[in-house]
Amino acid sequence: VLVYFGKAVVAFAMFLRNSGDFSSLWKPAGGRFGAVPGAVLCLVPGACLALYDTFSFFSLAGLDPISYQIIMHTRMVFIALMWQVAFKRTLTSTQWAALLLVFIASVSKAVDKLDEVGVPAIGALRMAFMQC
């Protein structure tokens, strides 16, 4: 919590140094965001990053760091799917095969960890997969 507070203090200090006052934070952002204040637009990515960090801490409480990193590599599959949709490009069959192998390895590591530690790790595994 102190890390986020420290980051906020530094960000506000930098903003105050560059703009002179905080009044522009409450002005409408305009454009496609309409009348939404600029300060509110900054809260969305900040809240997402804070939630991601919270999931990371809960996951690491029940998993060892190596298992956590291996399971986090499953996000490559989701990134590949978003890549195809966003950029209207398709991956080759070799690329999909590589992603499938990484996904299978991640899931097998998760199942292995569940067998090793037991039921207490299932919450940590669930949190780790939610981060993907």
Side-chain angles (χ1 to χ4, degrees):
V1 173
L2 290 176
V3 171
Y4 295 116
F5 181 72
K7 287 180 181 180
V9 168
V10 169
F12 282 130
M14 290 172 62
F15 185 82
L16 187 61
R17 182 174 181 262
N18 289 336
S19 68
D21 64 347
F22 291 115
S23 63
S24 62
L25 280 175
W26 304 110
K27 292 180 182 173
R32 66 180 173 175
F33 298 109
V36 177
V40 174
L41 295 176
C42 295
L43 292 176
V44 173
C48 289
L49 290 171
L51 187 66
Y52 178 85
D53 284 348
T54 303
F55 283 162
S56 295
F57 292 133
F58 281 127
S59 298
L60 284 169
L63 296 172
D64 59 300
I66 294 172
S67 297
Y68 174 76
Q69 284 298 320
I70 291 171
I71 292 169
M72 287 287 82
H73 287 298
T74 58
R75 82 173 75 176
M76 284 191 292
V77 176
F78 301 111
I79 291 171
L81 290 171
M82 292 298 126
W83 171 275
Q84 289 194 141
V85 171
F87 296 115
K88 294 181 177 65
R89 296 185 61 183
T90 58
L91 297 176
T92 65
S93 59
T94 306
Q95 291 169 327
W96 276 114
L99 285 171
L100 182 65
L101 287 174
V102 168
F103 185 74
I104 290 171
S106 299
V107 170
S108 68
K109 177 65 176 175
V111 170
D112 181 49
K113 189 65 179 173
L114 191 59
D115 288 340
E116 180 184 317
V117 177
V119 176
I122 199 156
L125 288 170
R126 190 176 304 132
M127 287 287 184
F129 279 117
M130 284 174 56
Q131 283 178 281
C132 294

